[in-house]
Amino acid sequence: MAKQKYYAVKKGNKTGVFLAWEECQEAIKGFSGHEFKSFESEAEANAYLADEDIVLINAIKPRLEKGEVVAFTDGSFDAAKKMYGAGVVIFAPNHSNIVELSNRGNNEKYIELGNVAGEIIAVLSAIDWAWKSGFSKITIFHDYEGVSKWAAGEWKANKNLSQYYKTFYDDKKDVIEIEFVKVSGHSNNKYNDRADVLAKGAISENKTITNLGDNAGYIINNVKESEITDLLGKLKAECVGLDYLVVVNGNKTIWTVQFNKERLTISLFNNIKMVVQGKKSNLFQLLRLA
């Protein structure tokens, strides 16, 4: 039997929570700029409509108050590049900022596991960070059940990486308590979604330069909005006449930067991939070398 989904329409012909996809379609059909998401519980759907972070309220804060670390992990795989990626989002007591970890690998012994290799590496990274930071417990929210099944001995570890993972877990469980919480993949849990973005971004080439005639552009992955803001603030202080405007459009943030008569744009997608476009001017080179 299919699991009940709850469709929350925030902007549409009709707003609210709908139990059938057909009802959701009618609510958004023909409405420009409609906004909706599907959830596995009515509480999550209502929280979305009320702009409440139910995961933060119900799952993260209570654990932080008890001195525990909370991590959201995910993995990715690119068959063409033969590379796996791992992404981790960490909340920790007395840490005002969210910690984000991402890495990639192409170990031939691990590639056969595909996406699962990234899932395992992400959990290893989360546990390693927590115990090295001196915490006594970590709760890991994950969407691949193998990471908890191997740890509990319910699944037999018969691959190189899963065997290493099991050994690592058995060693660390004596120094840090590890709890696993299974979540559904792509269930609109924004922290698991963020871990997924980090995992995919880790696989991408760090910088790609693209020539477009008189124009040029480059892409840098694993960039945060705060890093761009800090960079532009520094350049504005150092370069008289440099200024910029910011526009936010959904998951995309655009900075239009102007210096004397020169102009370029910086676009940040999903708070991870930065695209810089503009003519091959002094401003372009200035930003490229910053």
Side-chain angles (χ1 to χ4, degrees):
M1 184 177 177
K3 200 169 186 178
Q4 175 66 58
K5 283 192 174 183
Y6 298 84
Y7 301 93
V9 178
K10 185 177 288 188
K11 293 182 181 180
N13 303 309
K14 186 178 180 181
T15 60
V17 178
F18 302 92
L19 302 182
W21 169 237
E22 292 76 15
E23 294 177 329
C24 178
Q25 283 183 308
E26 285 298 317
I28 63 174
K29 186 177 180 180
F31 189 95
S32 178
H34 61 258
E35 292 184 14
F36 77 97
K37 286 186 177 182
S38 65
F39 298 89
E40 295 183 341
S41 73
E42 188 173 6
E44 291 175 307
N46 284 318
Y48 167 71
L49 294 178
D51 290 321
E52 294 178 351
D53 191 337
I54 194 170
V55 177
L56 181 64
I57 295 171
N58 294 341
I60 300 174
K61 282 188 175 180
R63 289 179 168 87
L64 293 179
E65 290 170 358
K66 291 188 286 187
E68 303 172 11
V69 174
V70 179
F72 297 83
T73 63
D74 210 346
S76 184
F77 183 70
D78 189 317
K81 294 181 179 179
K82 295 184 179 180
M83 186 172 292
Y84 48 84
V88 187
V89 176
I90 295 176
F91 292 81
N94 303 319
H95 280 63
S96 57
N97 296 321
I98 298 174
V99 177
E100 294 186 342
L101 308 175
S102 63
N103 50 57
R104 63 185 180 184
N106 58 357
N107 188 313
E108 292 183 359
K109 295 180 180 179
Y110 302 162
I111 287 176
E112 62 179 341
L113 288 173
N115 186 76
V116 174
E119 302 275 359
I120 294 174
I121 297 298
V123 174
L124 290 172
S125 300
I127 296 172
D128 189 63
W129 185 93
W131 84 269
K132 283 183 177 178
S133 299
F135 293 100
S136 59
K137 182 175 180 179
I138 180 172
T139 298
I140 299 173
F141 289 79
H142 61 96
D143 61 15
Y144 177 67
E145 64 177 336
V147 296
S148 60
K149 297 292 187 181
W150 281 316
E154 297 176 21
W155 284 10
K156 183 178 180 180
N158 52 17
K159 300 292 184 180
N160 284 290
L161 184 55
S162 59
Q163 289 172 350
Y164 172 78
Y165 171 71
K166 174 60 173 169
T167 300
F168 180 92
Y169 171 82
D170 288 342
D171 178 57
K172 294 298 179 290
K173 70 180 182 180
D174 294 328
V175 294
I176 182 171
E177 184 180 351
I178 305 168
E179 177 185 357
F180 292 99
V181 177
K182 173 74 169 63
V183 298
S184 298
H186 308 292
S187 59
N188 284 317
N189 177 318
K190 70 178 184 179
Y191 303 112
N192 266 100
D193 290 346
R194 178 61 184 168
D196 178 60
V197 169
L198 291 170
K200 287 182 171 65
I203 295 177
S204 303
E205 293 295 329
N206 189 48
K207 181 182 286 189
T208 302
I209 306 297
T210 304
N211 291 317
L212 304 169
D214 290 334
N215 294 323
Y218 62 87
I219 300 171
I220 303 180
N221 289 290
N222 300 324
V223 178
K224 297 179 182 178
E225 182 176 345
S226 59
E227 294 174 323
I228 298 176
T229 302
D230 290 346
L231 172 61
L232 291 177
K234 179 181 177 181
L235 290 176
K236 185 175 180 179
E238 295 177 350
C239 305
V240 178
L242 187 146
D243 206 353
Y244 59 91
L245 295 174
V246 185
V247 176
V248 179
N249 183 9
N251 293 328
K252 181 179 179 181
T253 303
I254 303 171
W255 290 262
T256 301
V257 186
Q258 187 159 346
F259 183 48
N260 296 326
K261 295 183 178 180
E262 300 172 0
R263 179 180 295 183
L264 58 76
T265 60
I266 303 172
S267 301
L268 182 66
F269 300 87
N270 293 313
N271 199 29
I272 191 168
K273 183 173 75 172
M274 180 178 79
V275 179
V276 180
Q277 294 176 294
K279 289 187 176 181
K280 296 176 182 177
S281 60
N282 291 328
L283 175 59
F284 183 88
Q285 293 301 321
L286 180 67
L287 192 64
R288 180 178 170 182
L289 297 173

